[in-house]
Amino acid sequence: MNTETVRPAVTELRLSAFKTHRGVTLPLTRLTLLSGESGSGKSSALQAYEILARLGSGESLARAVGEVAGSPAACVPAGARPDTQGRRGFRIGCTVDGPAGPVSLDLAVQAEPELRIVGERLTGGGETLLSTALTDPDRPTVQAAWHTAGATPVTRAPLPDDRLGTSLLPLRVAGKTAGQRLVLAAAEQVVVALRSAFVCDPRPEVMRGAGTGGTGGAGLDGACGADGVGGDGAGRGAGVRRSGREAALRGGPGKPGGAGGAAGAWGPRKRKGSSGEAGGWARDTEGARAEGRLRSSCDNLPAVLERTSQECARRHAVLVAAVREACAGPVEGLRAVPRQAGGTGESPADAAAPAGLVGTAGPRAGVAGVRAVLDRGELGELPVEQLGDGELRFLALALVLLTGPEVLAMDPVGEVPSAHQQMTVMADGMDRCMDPRQARELVSLALRMTDRGHVRLLGTVRDPSVAEGLPGVQVLHLGV
């Protein structure tokens, strides 16, 4: 095998002690679906992956855990008892395959009495490439040792206990010896794979502009209306809480440097620079809109659709064909059209358009952004906000699968060519609100896109039968 063409990807997720999971190892393929009864831990598995991804992007531990799980205590395995010093925690890890071969990363996190990484181990090529340990509880650091294979077998130095040590290695390792170059290659492989993740949680109530500030009402999380039922995890995790990227986009909790940031929210110790984040998950709102980058909740879908339809007609035609299969009634086209400001030339449908579907398409006189519409042929145009919840979620997820990091509000690794990267889409409640026909069509589309090698998918479903008979789809049943 020519490893130069292998794109780094997470091929195994380990939940050694996390929430409801103990000693669980999940093998991940290009398209993996998690199924199981409510409470079986489907959403928790995706949360563990997202915490690792955020840490790989340079976020602080407090922010990564706070944005994903709400509090450190929520990640502690059920029934875990504190030790004599009142400490409890959780352990997660992953394996990343790529040019450097299989590389394993394992973390031990203390959740109480204060949040900190107390142990980290990076292994690959039969060597322990990095290991950290808490040696002085009164200091906000861990003692790190990384492989050198030179005159000195290992190099030792303190690293902050609120950051992923693996992501800091490129700043600390010189790369002069073969051992150091192995460490750098392994660390880069893990960071590239973790940073190439996009959490997609299309929320129809937000896409329609429900609630204030485009965030939707808290009581509507996971609601699907008449055309579907809520999925496992509705009203929890990402379904309730904005991701770090989205929180920063909206100026909410977790905004870098803001008083509401999660960094430093737990524990009395002060850390230099803890109010900011090195990671790129947070982007400026106007900048993201101007770039036409799709956010996790997909509330800016019209502006992104306007961009993607102009950039690649072939990809847009595939999207229209997929939407045609999933939507009731005829679909001859899908496009973004200008929405006129004020009342001049504004149709009744325009006047009633929710603010959540208004993008910023540029400074055109009399235009208040764009809106997305379906071309129904003889039936005329239908604003997409009038679609059912399942149809809206299908449209958003299909658009994500057909795009790439440059179109999504994520943190792609700019130093690595895109041909050497592989995006992973995480979709909790992937079939939420959808009928079996829509869910089947979405899984089929995902299979076609993952077969191309540029995108992977990790999702959760309530009904595993939507993948029956589809070769290449791995369904893991949890709680069995």
Side-chain angles (χ1 to χ4, degrees), residues 11 29 31 57 70-71 73 97 111 144-145 149 186 201 233 237 242 275 281 288 296 342 347 356 380 460 468 478:
T11 56
T29 61
L31 204 171
S57 291
S71 70
D97 278 346
D201 182 25
R242 292 190 295 266
S275 61
W281 286 54
S296 177
S347 68
T460 69
E468 286 182 358
L478 303 186

Side-chain angles (χ1 to χ4, degrees), residues 418-434:
S418 59
H420 295 169
Q421 299 184 47
Q422 191 170 205
M423 179 180 72
T424 296
V425 176
M426 291 189 285
D428 190 15
M430 182 174 168
D431 58 348
R432 189 185 309 150
C433 309
M434 298 183 195

Side-chain angles (χ1 to χ4, degrees), residues 228-271:
V229 294
D232 179 37
R236 295 183 299 159
V240 174
R241 209 167 283 103
R242 292 190 295 266
S243 69
R245 287 170 291 183
E246 194 147 342
L249 286 169
R250 299 212 174 272
K255 184 175 181 180
W266 297 283
R269 291 172 300 138
K270 302 295 182 180
R271 291 185 174 90

Side-chain angles (χ1 to χ4, degrees), residues 289-359:
R289 287 183 176 177
E291 294 174 5
R293 292 180 179 269
L294 190 66
R295 294 190 283 268
S296 177
S297 64
C298 301
D299 62 309
N300 61 333
L301 184 144
V304 177
L305 184 64
E306 180 185 42
R307 171 188 171 183
T308 57
S309 62
Q310 296 171 355
E311 290 181 345
C312 184
R314 182 177 179 181
R315 179 174 59 190
H316 186 71
V318 175
L319 175 63
V320 172
V323 172
R324 182 180 299 120
E325 295 296 324
C327 289
V331 176
E332 296 188 5
L334 171 66
R335 58 180 177 271
V337 298
R339 181 174 185 271
Q340 301 298 322
T344 306
E346 199 174 46
S347 68
D350 284 333
L357 284 172
V358 177

Side-chain angles (χ1 to χ4, degrees), residues 87-150:
R87 297 176 299 186
R88 296 197 309 161
F90 60 91
R91 290 182 289 126
I92 55 178
C94 66
T95 296
V96 176
D97 278 346
V103 178
S104 295
L105 170 68
D106 291 284
L107 292 181
V109 179
Q110 174 185 298
E112 297 172 344
E114 58 182 316
L115 185 65
R116 62 199 313 181
I117 297 175
V118 295
E120 177 178 350
R121 184 177 295 271
L122 184 71
T123 57
E127 300 283 352
T128 298
L129 305 177
L130 169 70
S131 62
T132 70
L134 180 66
T135 58
D136 186 349
D138 293 328
R139 293 179 178 271
T141 60
V142 290
Q143 186 65 28
W146 56 83
H147 183 61
T148 303

